[in-house]
Amino acid sequence: MTDRFTFKLIATDGDARRGEVSMPRGVVRTPAFMPVGTAGTVKAMYLDQVRALGSDIILGNTYHLMLRPGAERVGRLGGLHEFARWPYPILTDSGGFQVMSLSQLRKLTEHGVTFRSHIDGAPYELTPERSIEIQGLLDSDIQMQLDECVALPAKPKDIERSMELSLRWAERCKIAFGDQRGKAMFGIVQGGDIADLRIRSAQALKAMDLKGYAVGGLAVGEPQAVMLDMLEATCPEMPVDKPRYLMGVGTPDDILKSVARGIDMFDCVMPTRAGRHSLAYTRRGKINLRNARHADDPRPLDEESDCPAARDYSRAYLHHLVKSQESLGAMLLTWNNLAYYQSLMQDIRHAIEARDFVARSAAITEEWARGDLPPL
Amino acid sequence: MTDRFTFKLIATDGDARRGEVSMPRGVVRTPAFMPVGTAGTVKAMYLDQVRALGSDIILGNTYHLMLRPGAERVGRLGGLHEFARWPYPILTDSGGFQVMSLSQLRKLTEHGVTFRSHIDGAPYELTPERSIEIQGLLDSDIQMQLDECVALPAKPKDIERSMELSLRWAERCKIAFGDQRGKAMFGIVQGGDIADLRIRSAQALKAMDLKGYAVGGLAVGEPQAVMLDMLEATCPEMPVDKPRYLMGVGTPDDILKSVARGIDMFDCVMPTRAGRHSLAYTRRGKINLRNARHADDPRPLDEESDCPAARDYSRAYLHHLVKSQESLGAMLLTWNNLAYYQSLMQDIRHAIEARDFVARSAAITEEWARGDLPPL
């Protein structure tokens, strides 16, 4: 443990990095996957389970929490860790992305963004300063700068304008955040699908000497190849001695390929959302439990898994639960999915330490491609 | 353990009874509350949790399971215990009650009842023989006779006709069940709100020498006083050396008052259903977590409870979860509610053993009446 926020690189294998982000509330082993706890809960999971799967850190969404239950309220109640009973590191986003995707009647200016809540229509303002204030009230360990994220495809002029605005907001967030010893404020590289803009953004953020750097505005509908191109352009411009976080990504395959390009941290709703939509991530690929082929199948999702949800329940039972819309179906599949994601991250970390990442990555990919067990 | 189905009376206190129902899959300590696992799952709970709360037995619904996933399928998959991963005793109802309340286009004859599934409209037939066959496919430890349950208020002539039909069906179920050493088939006393009919029903069933007896057709909308009157008329007519099960009951207060009149077993959806509707059962009465008074309250539901859901999470957090319709809200409140019900049953069992049931019952009732903690 430490009273400072630090990053240590433990091993590298090609561009893949094995590291540790340390802060007073705990150590995050990287490459790390952060389960998404949108509104102070990882949906359909007890946080004890999330922890037991090897999650060192979870993500909270500033937009959702500022609307309900409200940042000041969470602050009065002792912060998000106390509120949700998660005493380990928490990363919060800035709220900007969800303002753009969920809220109504948005108005964006240099100063910030005003919008109306998608819950009750109440008016709100989010500025770089207010975003950092909210994340402080939540007592977040890793706070994100407010940025603007344009939807792709977009005109180069709009992407550039947005990237420049995000840089000015990064400066304001840095000032608002100030000097908080055990915490960090990360900047976010923007620039859409234009490598030159990504490079300019990364260089400008690097000059601000922040404690960590994120890549934002990807996995928003563009082909995977475009995302990987952007990572290849961006990662070399990011400091080696700071953690790198690819926001909102992604599929297990996205994660493998992004680790290969030097990314350390990930978050994504996929494993939790898929768990509520009858889908199971496994080492044999993605399995749809609604499919009738599972109705009489006594086999578990993965007999070799350590996770009870994967190992102990029959596919027939899981099929029955999802067909009947029983909450236990979502509970078990979410559990399975987060277990799979965290076992994948552990596998990745071991492979990098053993300098075996390329071979291991190929073997994992090959097992996905072989697909699920043949029907009985 | 035993290879037979037996009932042993351990202690009595007034008409209240402390006993044990033993069967190959386990011992049920009575008075017992059976959580309802309608479709092979106790909603929003892992069965490991249900067990850890002190549940010796759960209930499965024949109607739901015969429609989906289907009795023959559950049979092929090894029975309901194997399917749902609950190796302990299971009681199944006959399906009759839900056919009457949920299905479409019912047609009742002496032979049985035909109906259409509320899920997909498919036609089904349920006879006394088929009900026992289905419960056998589910491998249920305690099976219930098919009965007809009239909604109250009803005309005496209809109540009598229905009670007589249920007796004839009890005979047919007894024959269909045959001699199954480690299992039981219970008869069901009917007779609506007419004591004389209840007595006739109980006497006729007693003459059949069944392994246990249920009281059905109560808690269907009549005042509590009517239900208790019927118990007072019925219980003295039931054999002392057989377990007595009051079907579908009830509130904690119903349970206390029914135990006082000689009932041994209960089942009810209240704790689980209430948990999905923001309601918490506690020793201080029922608490509605949607109420704004909880929004800033850092106190748990019950600081003295052994259940993490009751003891470790703030009311403010629970309020937030239910307002946000997060599944964890239903998970925690269901957990709290089943924990409260099972701790109440444990309390009742101890009090009967100590011959202190009347005083303990009064103290419990008094604590409910004092109500919840004052707002902060």
Side-chain angles (χ1 to χ4, degrees):
Chain A
M1 285 301 168
T2 168
D3 63 344
R4 292 174 179 266
F5 184 95
T6 61
F7 177 68
K8 182 170 70 176
L9 211 52
I10 295 173
T12 58
D13 185 8
D15 289 330
R17 297 145 52 98
R18 167 77 179 91
E20 276 180 4
V21 188
S22 299
M23 62 204 94
R25 286 197 175 91
V27 172
V28 177
R29 297 161 292 172
T30 65
F33 179 78
M34 304 185 280
V36 177
T38 303
T41 159
V42 174
K43 291 182 196 299
M45 294 286 287
Y46 296 102
L47 286 181
D48 295 345
Q49 295 176 293
V50 175
R51 181 68 179 179
L53 295 176
S55 309
D56 295 331
I57 179 169
I58 61 173
L59 180 142
N61 285 117
T62 286
Y63 172 80
H64 290 85
L65 292 164
M66 72 184 281
L67 301 189
R68 191 168 56 192
E72 275 70 15
R73 171 169 287 144
V74 175
R76 283 194 301 274
L77 290 163
L80 189 54
H81 305 77
E82 176 77 14
F83 186 60
R85 296 184 50 73
W86 175 266
Y88 314 107
I90 291 178
L91 180 148
T92 46
D93 63 10
S94 69
F97 183 81
Q98 263 103 17
V99 166
M100 297 303 159
S101 58
L102 293 178
S103 76
Q104 295 158 345
L105 295 172
R106 291 178 297 283
K107 204 179 143 196
L108 183 88
T109 66
E110 181 69 29
H111 181 62
V113 55
T114 57
F115 62 93
R116 287 186 179 273
S117 159
H118 74 283
I119 299 170
D120 60 5
Y124 286 86
E125 183 178 50
L126 200 59
T127 61
E129 293 76 17
R130 176 62 179 156
S131 175
I132 295 299
E133 183 182 21
I134 291 172
Q135 295 181 72
L137 286 163
L138 300 175
D139 203 16
S140 168
D141 303 282
I142 303 182
Q143 304 176 21
M144 302 302 299
Q145 72 152 97
L146 188 67
D147 61 342
E148 195 204 353
C149 168
V150 293
L152 297 179
K155 290 183 198 152
K157 203 178 60 178
D158 291 335
I159 297 174
E160 182 170 18
R161 182 204 53 73
S162 163
M163 180 274 278
E164 299 279 5
L165 177 67
S166 294
L167 286 178
R168 293 191 295 277
W169 284 3
E171 290 280 11
R172 286 166 59 187
C173 285
K174 185 186 173 181
I175 293 166
F177 182 78
D179 179 23
Q180 299 184 38
R181 220 175 141 79
K183 295 183 174 181
M185 196 283 291
F186 282 18
I188 304 176
V189 175
Q190 289 289 356
D193 51 3
I194 303 173
D196 284 349
L197 294 180
R198 290 270 167 194
I199 292 168
R200 268 174 51 200
S201 174
Q203 288 173 341
L205 288 167
K206 184 176 178 177
M208 292 182 207
D209 191 26
L210 303 172
K211 292 184 187 171
Y213 294 90
V215 182
L218 291 176
V220 290
E222 80 285 359
Q224 188 197 47
V226 172
M227 179 182 86
L228 298 177
D229 282 350
M230 292 304 107
L231 293 184
E232 284 172 19
T234 307
C235 285
E237 303 301 327
M238 299 168 94
V240 169
D241 60 347
K242 303 285 173 69
R244 302 167 181 170
Y245 161 33
L246 178 56
M247 303 183 77
V249 172
T251 64
D253 184 59
D254 288 335
I255 290 175
L256 271 189
K257 288 178 172 144
S258 302
V259 165
R261 286 157 178 84
I263 295 294
D264 305 308
M265 299 166 66
F266 301 88
D267 80 283
C268 191
V269 295
M270 277 187 188
T272 40
R273 181 171 293 165
R276 301 194 302 284
H277 290 90
S278 313
L279 297 170
Y281 284 96
T282 76
R283 62 189 163 92
R284 301 185 184 103
K286 203 154 82 170
I287 299 175
N288 186 346
L289 269 307
R290 289 192 72 84
N291 195 310
R293 67 169 276 191
H294 303 296
D296 284 293
D297 194 333
R299 297 173 299 181
L301 280 172
D302 185 350
E303 67 290 353
E304 291 178 10
S305 173
D306 291 331
C307 174
R311 185 192 59 207
D312 296 342
Y313 296 83
S314 70
R315 291 163 181 241
Y317 185 60
L318 296 170
H319 173 79
H320 167 64
L321 293 175
V322 303
K323 290 285 282 185
S324 306
Q325 299 179 281
E326 287 286 348
S327 47
L328 185 60
M331 290 161 65
L332 289 172
L333 291 181
T334 303
W335 192 9
N336 169 82
N337 291 349
L338 284 179
Y340 178 69
Y341 264 67
Q342 296 299 10
S343 75
L344 175 67
M345 301 316 293
Q346 179 72 324
D347 204 351
I348 289 172
R349 290 191 295 264
H350 284 161
I352 298 171
E353 285 169 19
R355 297 187 183 271
D356 186 36
F357 180 70
V358 173
R360 184 67 198 126
S361 199
I364 292 168
T365 304
E366 210 263 318
E367 193 170 16
W368 292 333
R370 276 203 301 273
D372 194 13
L373 298 171
L376 282 181
Chain B
M1 287 299 168
T2 168
D3 64 344
R4 291 174 180 267
F5 184 95
T6 62
F7 177 68
K8 181 170 71 174
L9 211 52
I10 295 174
T12 58
D13 185 9
D15 288 332
R17 297 146 51 98
R18 167 78 179 91
E20 276 180 6
V21 188
S22 299
M23 61 205 93
R25 286 197 175 92
V27 173
V28 177
R29 296 162 293 172
T30 65
F33 179 78
M34 303 184 280
V36 177
T38 303
T41 159
V42 174
K43 291 182 196 299
M45 295 285 288
Y46 297 101
L47 287 180
D48 295 345
Q49 295 175 292
V50 175
R51 180 68 179 178
L53 295 175
S55 309
D56 295 331
I57 179 170
I58 60 174
L59 180 141
N61 284 117
T62 286
Y63 172 78
H64 290 87
L65 291 163
M66 72 185 281
L67 300 190
R68 192 169 56 192
E72 274 70 15
R73 172 170 285 145
V74 175
R76 283 194 302 273
L77 290 162
L80 189 53
H81 304 78
E82 175 79 15
F83 186 59
R85 297 185 49 74
W86 175 266
Y88 313 108
I90 292 178
L91 180 148
T92 45
D93 64 9
S94 69
F97 183 81
Q98 263 102 17
V99 167
M100 295 304 159
S101 58
L102 293 178
S103 76
Q104 295 158 346
L105 296 172
R106 291 178 295 283
K107 204 178 144 197
L108 183 87
T109 66
E110 181 70 29
H111 181 62
V113 55
T114 57
F115 62 94
R116 286 186 179 272
S117 159
H118 73 284
I119 300 169
D120 60 5
Y124 287 87
E125 182 177 51
L126 200 59
T127 61
E129 294 76 18
R130 176 62 179 157
S131 175
I132 295 298
E133 182 182 23
I134 291 172
Q135 296 180 72
L137 286 163
L138 299 176
D139 203 17
S140 169
D141 303 282
I142 302 182
Q143 305 176 21
M144 302 304 298
Q145 72 152 98
L146 188 66
D147 61 342
E148 194 204 354
C149 168
V150 293
L152 297 180
K155 290 185 198 152
K157 202 178 62 179
D158 290 335
I159 297 174
E160 182 170 18
R161 182 204 52 73
S162 163
M163 181 274 278
E164 300 278 6
L165 177 67
S166 293
L167 286 177
R168 292 190 296 278
W169 284 3
E171 291 279 11
R172 286 167 58 188
C173 285
K174 185 185 174 182
I175 293 166
F177 183 78
D179 179 23
Q180 300 185 37
R181 222 175 139 77
K183 296 184 175 180
M185 196 284 290
F186 283 18
I188 304 176
V189 175
Q190 288 290 356
D193 50 3
I194 303 173
D196 284 351
L197 294 181
R198 290 272 168 193
I199 291 167
R200 267 175 51 199
S201 174
Q203 289 174 340
L205 288 167
K206 185 175 177 177
M208 292 182 207
D209 191 26
L210 303 173
K211 292 183 185 172
Y213 294 90
V215 181
L218 292 176
V220 289
E222 80 285 0
Q224 189 196 47
V226 172
M227 180 181 86
L228 298 177
D229 282 351
M230 292 304 107
L231 293 184
E232 284 171 21
T234 307
C235 284
E237 304 301 327
M238 299 167 93
V240 169
D241 60 347
K242 302 285 173 69
R244 302 167 180 168
Y245 160 34
L246 178 55
M247 302 183 79
V249 173
T251 64
D253 184 60
D254 288 337
I255 290 175
L256 271 189
K257 288 177 172 144
S258 302
V259 166
R261 285 156 178 85
I263 295 294
D264 305 308
M265 299 166 65
F266 301 88
D267 80 284
C268 191
V269 295
M270 278 188 189
T272 39
R273 181 172 292 165
R276 301 193 302 282
H277 290 90
S278 313
L279 297 169
Y281 284 96
T282 77
R283 62 188 163 93
R284 302 184 183 104
K286 203 154 83 170
I287 299 174
N288 186 344
L289 269 307
R290 290 191 72 82
N291 194 309
R293 66 169 277 189
H294 303 296
D296 285 293
D297 195 333
R299 296 173 300 180
L301 281 171
D302 185 350
E303 68 290 353
E304 291 178 10
S305 173
D306 291 332
C307 174
R311 185 191 60 206
D312 296 341
Y313 296 83
S314 70
R315 290 162 182 242
Y317 185 60
L318 296 170
H319 173 78
H320 166 65
L321 293 176
V322 303
K323 291 284 282 185
S324 306
Q325 299 179 281
E326 287 286 348
S327 48
L328 186 60
M331 290 161 66
L332 289 172
L333 291 181
T334 303
W335 193 8
N336 169 81
N337 291 349
L338 284 179
Y340 178 70
Y341 264 67
Q342 295 299 10
S343 74
L344 175 68
M345 301 316 293
Q346 180 70 324
D347 204 351
I348 289 171
R349 290 191 295 264
H350 284 161
I352 298 171
E353 284 170 19
R355 297 188 184 270
D356 186 37
F357 179 69
V358 173
R360 185 66 200 128
S361 198
I364 291 168
T365 304
E366 210 262 317
E367 193 170 16
W368 291 334
R370 276 203 301 274
D372 195 12
L373 297 171
L376 281 181

